[in-house]
């Protein structure tokens, strides 16, 4: 069941209506059941893996907490990580590594008799595995107590707004909300929840789904002209941002209607003045996860400059690999790692110290450059392999070649304008409370424009959210 | 009234105003927006626009369908003036029997509800080995415009009902193309849909030389009639009849040179005639044989009639039109 489907438009109101008729404990049981229905809607077999992960992590976390001996605690942690990363590794990377090994061996003349591995990737596995790892780690580091309630833990792992594509919630943030009774949302909260869902749908249906075919056309050509590469890359930059941030908005809105507050996953990343600021604003739940559970354990910036640069690079390469087994993802991660390292070397700024002040006229140039750099990296990310990366970058110097239609180019321009306006408005009114200070007729006009956009752009073939692939 | 109430009233008026503006703008642009991006090529889009415009006009009694031979050869408005039956030419260039079901059964007839469908046929429509027809069929059936028209299910039904009343919903696909909107705003019109010779020139350019060189290796390649194309037509005619539509098959004229394009010459024409008889026998559809017009002066090339030829063919169809299907 996807957020942009009719099934979800029926599912969510029913769940919200039933949920608020129940007491707290019954609410949690009901939400777990609803989440399993939501997840099983894709393929009921996926539930088996989800149940196994939930059960294993629930038990192991209690074992970690129950042990005083550090060595034993560490062993339990290693067992948890083996289970979690083993599942992720098998379902996400096994096929890639077996195929790559086969290709490498055949290049040196060895033909291995290994069956072709075709593993069905359970949707959302990367997200809920990372969420589970954060819980186990935090229990191990004694930053939180292990929960004794299986239903609560099951809801933390499977809560349907975040289950499939995040935000990757931290146990310390979400579990307390699960465990304590929630108050019925105020009318303001309901409005803001519905507003977020509407905004998310607009981003997905109007911006992302309009840019999808343009990006497909540009990346599907064999001899693209420079304009095709440029506009195709812009189209994909807009598509992936609108698609993923739209998903996150709908997730946050849905959760708010159920009395939960999820973390913000995006904060106008394309208005960043440098690459470090970009990673403070892009896929925040993943970037902070990588910082806390990878970059810091690797030593962070505590062991000298060179080690810091190495850690930044390694973290981003692994962050790229998180998206999937493929050279383009690794190259994308490496490119961002290198950019982050260079920025750190040049300015000494970190994600926590980077300037977040209001945008000034003098920032426009830096924002432009940062956007171009991230867009160049998106070319790598969107490509199917190294040869396409080479072809697309080669196309940047070709004046002649396959070009996009005038409509496609105009659509990219329009979508870019809409995206910038929306981001600037969100920067001015970052919270719903701030938004409510806007005069009511202006808000009404904004909602009417969103609905009009949805009317015009609905009815096409709905595209799945991009991050479902990861 | 308190400030809050004023704000609420202003908000409601703003919303209503914006929706009214959207709907009004769409209505103002209606008829000037092209559906080309939704269909595999311009001619199909134009024919769909013809159907779309006719859907909201007076009811249509007769539609003429078939390939470019019908598109060039039948003057629907002349036929209407002669018979009093409001008529429309919805023929699709490059179509064959394969296209009759998707185009007529799933698009034209549900939208226009005509009493009679006249399908023009020639030997080219019956070849089972031609390598163009399957591609043309796929191009149409995979097109977003076609898929949205034939979509089934509750949502699609709701969508069609709302489309009837809201131009914004009805034209939303066309509104998604900026150049289309700009062209419409600047007063440009998509190619209108006149009768083939109303403007005194052909609506589409047909090229005899390319036709001659291409047909033996494409449309008429390894000619064989009586198989899949014939069955496709039988199935489509039965479907049309099941929908309550009378079907008239019109055997179209060609020049005598056309025979030389057939790989097996006259034998292919015999096979075609036999297949056509099968269709008539299996479906009880009426058959008008209008093929006795061979004079080259009536043709632009081997198969496409010119304006004078179109006049002759239209008159011939009118003359032979079954009396049971005449007005009243």
């Amino acid at each position: 069941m996807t957020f942009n489907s009719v099934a979800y438009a029926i599912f969510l109101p029913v769940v919200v209506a039933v949920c608020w008729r129940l007491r707290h404990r019954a609410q949690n049981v009901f939400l777990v059941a609803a989440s399993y229905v939501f997840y099983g809607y894709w393929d009921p077999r996926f539930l088996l893996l989800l149940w196994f992960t939930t059960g294993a992590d629930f038990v192991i976390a209690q074992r970690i907490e129950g042990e005083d001996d550090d060595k034993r605690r560490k062993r339990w942690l290693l067992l948890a990580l083996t289970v979690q990363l083993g599942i992720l590794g098998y379902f996400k990377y096994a096929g890639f590594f077996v195929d790559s090994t086969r290709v490498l061996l055949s290049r040196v003349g060895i033909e291995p008799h290994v069956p072709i591995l075709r593993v069905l990737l359970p949707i959302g596995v990367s997200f809920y595995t990372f969420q589970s790892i954060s819980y186990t780690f935090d229990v191990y580091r004694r930053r939180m107590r292990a929960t004794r309630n299986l239903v609560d833990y099951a809801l933390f792992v499977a809560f349907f707004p975040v289950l499939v594509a995040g935000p990757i919630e931290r146990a310390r943030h979400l579990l307390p909300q699960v465990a304590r009774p929630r108050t019925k949302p105020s009318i303001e909260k309901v409005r803001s929840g519905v507003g977020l869902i509407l905004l998310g749908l607009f981003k997905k249906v109007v911006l992302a789904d309009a840019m999808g075919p343009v990006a497909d056309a540009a990346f599907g050509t064999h001899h693209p002209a420079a304009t095709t590469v440029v506009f195709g890359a812009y189209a994909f930059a807009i598509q992936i941002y609108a698609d993923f941030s739209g998903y996150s908005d709908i997730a946050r809105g849905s959760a708010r209607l159920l009395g939960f507050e999820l973390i913000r996953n995006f904060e106008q990343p394309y208005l960043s003045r440098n690459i470090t600021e970009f990673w403070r604003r892009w896929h925040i739940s993943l970037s902070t996860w990588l910082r806390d559970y990878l970059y810091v354990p690797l030593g962070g910036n505590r062991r000298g400059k060179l080690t810091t640069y190495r850690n930044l690079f390694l973290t981003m390469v692994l962050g790229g690999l998180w998206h999937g087994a493929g050279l383009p993802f690794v190259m994308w991660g490496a490119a961002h790692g290198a950019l982050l390292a260079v920025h750190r070397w040049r300015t000494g700024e970190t994600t926590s110290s980077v300037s977040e002040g209001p945008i000034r006229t003098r920032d426009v140039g830096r924002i432009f450059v940062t956007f171009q750099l991230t867009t160049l990296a998106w070319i790598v990310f969107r490509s199917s392999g190294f040869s396409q990366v080479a072809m697309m970058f080669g196309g940047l110097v070709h004046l002649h070649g396959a070009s996009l239609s005038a409509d496609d180019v105009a659509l990219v321009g329009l979508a870019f304008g809409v995206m910038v306006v929306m981001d600037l408005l969100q920067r001015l009114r970052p919270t719903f409370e701030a938004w409510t200070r806007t005069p009511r007729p202006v808000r009404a006009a904004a909602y009417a424009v969103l609905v009009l956009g949805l009317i015009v752009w609905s009815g096409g073939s709905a595209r799945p959210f991009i991050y479902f692939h990861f | 009234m308190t400030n809050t109430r004023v704000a609420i009233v202003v908000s409601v008026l703003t919303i209503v105003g914006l929706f009214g503006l959207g709907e009004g703008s769409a209505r103002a642009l209606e008829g000037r927006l092209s559906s080309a991006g939704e269909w595999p090529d311009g001619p199909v889009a134009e024919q769909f626009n013809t159907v779309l415009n006719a859907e909201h006009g007076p009811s249509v009694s007769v539609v003429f369908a078939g390939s470019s031979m019908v598109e060039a050869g039948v003057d629907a408005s002349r036929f209407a003036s002669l018979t009093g039956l409001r008529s429309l030419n919805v023929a699709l260039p490059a179509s064959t029997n394969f296209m009759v079901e998707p185009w007529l059964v799933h698009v034209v007839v549900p939208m226009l509800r005509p009493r009679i469908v006249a399908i023009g046929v020639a030997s080219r429509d019956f070849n089972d080995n031609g390598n163009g027809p399957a591609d043309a069929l796929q191009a149409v059936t995979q097109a977003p415009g076609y898929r949205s028209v034939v979509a089934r299910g509750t949502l699609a039904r709701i969508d069609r009902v709302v489309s009837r009343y809201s131009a914004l919903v009805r034209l939303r696909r066309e509104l998604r193309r900026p150049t289309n909107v700009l062209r419409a705003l600047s007063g440009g019109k998509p190619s209108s849909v006149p009768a083939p010779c109303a403007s005194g020139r052909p609506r589409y350019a047909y090229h005899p030389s390319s036709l001659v060189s291409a047909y033996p290796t494409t449309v008429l390649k390894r000619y064989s009639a009586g198989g899949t194309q014939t069955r496709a037509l039988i199935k489509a005619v039965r479907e049309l009849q099941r929908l309550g539509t009378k079907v008239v098959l019109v055997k179209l004229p060609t020049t005598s040179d056309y025979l030389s394009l057939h790989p097996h010459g006259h034998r292919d024409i015999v096979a075609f005639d036999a297949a056509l008889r099968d269709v008539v026998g299996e479906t009880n559809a009426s058959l008008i044989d209008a093929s006795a017009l061979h004079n080259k002066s009536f043709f632009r090339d081997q198969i496409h009639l010119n304006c004078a030829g179109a006049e002759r063919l239209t008159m011939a169809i009118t003359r032979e039109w079954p009396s049971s299907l005449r007005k009243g």
Side-chain angles (χ1 to χ4, degrees):
Chain A
M1 195 184 304
T2 60
F3 285 169
N4 55 340
S5 67
V6 179
Y8 190 73
I10 298 165
F11 174 83
L12 181 66
V14 169
V15 170
V16 171
V18 173
C19 187
W20 290 116
R21 292 187 172 274
L22 303 171
R23 289 174 183 278
H24 171 240
R25 283 285 136 215
Q27 275 181 3
N28 284 2
V29 174
F30 172 71
L31 285 176
V32 170
S35 298
Y36 289 157
V37 169
F38 175 86
Y39 193 56
Y41 202 82
W42 269 284
D43 189 334
R45 287 174 298 172
F46 294 165
L47 285 168
L48 296 174
L49 189 67
L50 184 64
W51 289 336
F52 173 73
T53 311
T54 306
D57 294 340
F58 177 72
V59 171
I60 293 171
Q62 289 187 31
R63 293 284 182 166
I64 292 172
E65 191 175 62
E67 283 291 349
D68 291 326
D69 180 51
D70 278 352
K71 277 188 180 172
R72 283 173 170 271
R73 284 169 61 81
K74 197 169 240 173
R75 272 186 213 149
W76 282 115
L77 175 69
L78 283 173
L79 176 64
L81 289 176
T82 307
V83 170
Q84 290 154 342
L85 295 177
I87 287 171
L88 196 59
Y90 175 75
F91 283 99
K92 211 161 170 175
Y93 306 108
F96 170 73
F97 285 118
V98 170
D99 289 350
S100 303
T101 309
R102 189 203 320 276
V103 170
L104 280 176
L105 288 175
S106 64
R107 281 196 184 159
V108 293
I110 303 166
E111 288 299 333
H113 295 285
V114 184
I116 292 171
L117 202 55
R118 292 282 168 263
V119 183
L120 181 67
L121 178 68
I123 201 157
V125 67
S126 311
F127 291 90
Y128 68 72
T129 303
F130 268 38
Q131 201 159 295
S132 301
I133 290 174
S134 83
Y135 168 71
T136 321
F137 249 108
D138 285 353
V139 171
Y140 172 77
R141 288 169 173 172
R142 293 197 172 92
R143 288 184 179 170
M144 66 176 294
R145 302 290 307 273
T147 178
R148 304 274 157 188
N149 189 312
L150 181 59
V151 173
D152 284 3
Y153 185 69
L155 182 55
F156 161 69
V157 176
F159 186 43
F160 69 85
V162 299
L163 176 58
V164 175
I168 302 166
E169 277 291 331
R170 301 301 178 79
R172 277 175 288 160
H173 182 245
L174 188 57
L175 255 178
Q177 296 185 59
V178 172
R180 66 166 181 258
R182 294 171 290 276
T183 50
K184 214 169 180 174
S186 63
I187 188 70
E188 286 302 315
K189 286 269 184 195
V190 172
R191 269 189 210 156
S192 69
V194 173
L196 272 172
I197 292 172
L198 195 60
L199 181 66
L201 279 174
F202 180 87
K203 286 180 181 175
K204 168 65 180 158
V205 175
V206 179
L207 294 179
D209 287 358
M211 290 298 97
V214 182
D216 290 350
F219 282 83
T221 52
H222 288 296
H223 300 289
T227 49
T228 305
V229 178
V230 169
F231 282 98
Y234 286 155
F236 183 67
I238 299 165
Q239 182 197 5
I240 195 164
Y241 171 48
D243 191 286
F244 197 17
S245 70
Y247 186 93
S248 300
D249 288 340
I250 301 170
R252 287 176 62 220
S254 303
R256 194 169 283 178
L257 295 178
L258 293 163
F260 291 87
E261 277 303 318
L262 303 181
I263 58 174
R264 285 172 77 106
N265 221 7
F266 293 88
E267 287 185 4
Q268 309 91 44
Y270 290 150
L271 297 181
S272 302
R273 282 157 280 213
N274 53 62
I275 202 72
T276 307
E277 187 184 355
F278 174 82
W279 277 104
R280 250 195 50 75
R281 299 178 175 281
W282 177 272
H283 201 175
I284 297 165
S285 64
L286 176 68
S287 58
T288 51
W289 193 101
L290 291 171
R291 181 194 65 201
D292 294 348
Y293 301 103
L294 198 57
Y295 176 71
V296 171
L298 280 171
N301 56 3
R302 301 185 303 274
R303 294 177 192 164
K305 285 183 177 175
L306 279 178
T307 315
T308 303
Y309 304 148
R310 183 207 66 185
N311 291 343
L312 278 171
F313 186 77
L314 271 180
T315 303
M316 293 313 295
V317 168
L318 290 170
L321 200 57
W322 173 87
H323 290 84
L327 192 58
F329 295 131
V330 177
M331 288 165 66
W332 174 79
H336 273 283
L339 287 170
L340 281 170
V342 168
H343 183 249
R344 175 69 66 90
W345 168 59
R346 296 282 297 156
T347 65
E349 284 182 328
T350 64
T351 47
S352 47
S353 70
V354 72
S355 166
E356 272 196 85
I359 296 170
R360 295 193 172 84
T361 317
R362 66 166 185 267
D363 294 328
V364 173
R366 295 170 69 198
I367 290 172
F368 176 80
V369 171
T370 308
F371 179 65
Q372 304 312 314
L373 289 174
T374 50
T375 303
L376 282 173
W378 285 132
I379 294 178
V380 180
F381 187 92
R382 174 64 176 74
S383 296
S384 54
F386 184 75
S387 55
Q388 191 177 24
V389 173
M391 189 181 70
M392 294 301 280
F393 277 96
L396 280 172
V397 293
H398 288 158
L399 291 180
H400 303 291
S403 3
L404 295 169
S405 70
D407 271 323
D408 287 344
V409 171
L411 275 178
V412 173
L414 281 173
F416 184 81
V418 171
M419 181 188 75
V420 169
V421 169
M422 283 173 73
D423 274 6
L424 283 172
L425 287 174
Q426 282 195 300
R427 185 67 71 89
L428 288 171
R429 296 271 189 274
T431 62
F432 190 77
E433 288 66 34
W435 171 238
T436 52
R437 287 198 296 274
T438 310
R440 203 186 287 255
V442 176
R443 278 183 282 153
Y447 287 130
V449 168
L450 292 183
V451 174
L452 278 169
L454 284 171
I455 289 173
V456 173
W457 283 91
S458 63
S461 49
R463 289 168 160 254
F465 287 92
I466 293 176
Y467 266 69
F468 284 5
H469 301 297
F470 309 138
Chain B
M1 238 190 316
T2 63
N3 281 344
T4 313
R5 281 192 180 168
V6 170
I8 290 171
V9 170
V10 173
S11 301
V12 171
L13 288 175
T14 306
I15 292 171
V16 172
L18 279 169
F19 275 87
L21 186 69
E23 179 64 24
S25 307
R27 281 176 193 272
L29 294 177
E30 193 158 23
R32 284 191 276 166
L33 291 164
S34 160
S35 306
E38 295 294 304
W39 296 90
D41 54 37
V44 181
E46 280 193 26
Q47 289 299 52
F48 181 71
N49 273 340
T50 311
V51 176
L52 198 63
N53 292 334
E55 189 188 16
H56 303 290
S59 66
V60 173
S61 299
V62 182
V63 294
F64 287 94
S67 66
S68 55
M69 292 174 72
V70 176
E71 194 274 323
V74 177
D75 190 333
S77 42
R78 179 82 174 118
F79 179 83
S81 69
L82 291 168
T83 59
L85 296 166
R86 190 173 141 72
S87 312
L88 205 62
N89 187 334
V90 297
L92 293 180
S95 130
T96 62
N97 289 345
F98 283 156
M99 203 79 89
V100 175
E101 183 179 347
W103 179 241
L104 286 180
V105 177
H106 299 306
V107 178
V108 176
V109 170
M111 288 174 79
L112 300 183
R113 302 268 168 216
R115 197 157 64 85
I116 306 154
V117 167
I119 306 168
V121 291
S123 62
R124 64 174 294 288
D125 300 306
F126 281 71
N127 184 18
D128 296 326
N129 297 326
N131 60 3
D135 294 341
L137 174 71
Q138 197 182 11
V140 167
T141 55
Q142 297 294 315
Y146 178 81
R147 281 157 62 175
S148 73
V149 170
V150 302
R152 298 284 175 262
T154 312
L155 265 188
R157 276 202 297 276
I158 292 171
D159 194 84
R160 276 193 280 272
V161 171
V162 177
S163 294
R164 244 177 254 155
Y165 301 101
S166 166
L168 191 64
V169 176
R170 191 162 58 241
L171 298 169
R172 63 187 191 272
R173 285 181 181 77
E174 288 76 8
L175 289 168
R176 288 175 202 165
R177 288 189 297 122
T179 56
N180 201 10
V181 175
L182 279 177
R183 200 181 301 118
L185 283 172
S186 62
K189 277 190 159 192
S191 311
S192 55
V193 193
C197 296
S199 58
R201 61 185 174 83
R203 191 163 140 213
Y204 300 116
Y206 299 106
H207 304 288
S209 54
S210 62
L211 185 80
V212 172
S213 59
Y215 258 39
T217 54
T218 55
V219 179
L220 299 178
K221 185 181 161 190
R222 292 189 287 116
Y223 193 85
S224 169
T228 49
Q229 288 274 20
T230 307
R231 285 197 295 277
L233 185 59
I234 291 171
K235 182 168 177 274
V237 171
R238 283 182 178 154
E239 282 291 310
L240 289 167
Q241 290 168 334
R242 195 181 57 77
L243 293 171
T245 313
K246 304 277 185 206
V247 178
V248 178
L249 297 171
V250 180
K251 189 178 172 190
L252 299 167
T254 57
T255 63
S256 47
D257 292 354
Y258 174 68
L259 195 63
S260 65
L261 300 177
H262 268 279
H264 315 109
H266 189 66
R267 206 175 79 202
D268 291 347
I269 303 299
V270 172
F272 157 61
D273 284 337
L276 183 57
R277 274 198 304 277
D278 282 351
V279 176
V280 173
E282 292 269 344
T283 61
N284 261 335
S286 307
L287 175 68
I288 295 174
D289 188 347
S291 62
L293 186 71
H294 298 302
N295 191 324
K296 280 186 188 175
S297 64
F298 291 123
F299 287 85
R300 294 179 212 165
D301 52 43
Q302 287 89 333
I303 57 173
H304 297 111
L305 290 162
N306 57 26
C307 294
E311 169 73 12
R312 287 288 182 114
L313 177 63
T314 307
M315 294 293 284
I317 293 171
T318 309
R319 241 187 347 263
E320 301 295 323
W321 195 251
S323 54
S324 60
L325 302 180
R326 286 183 187 272
K327 199 174 184 189

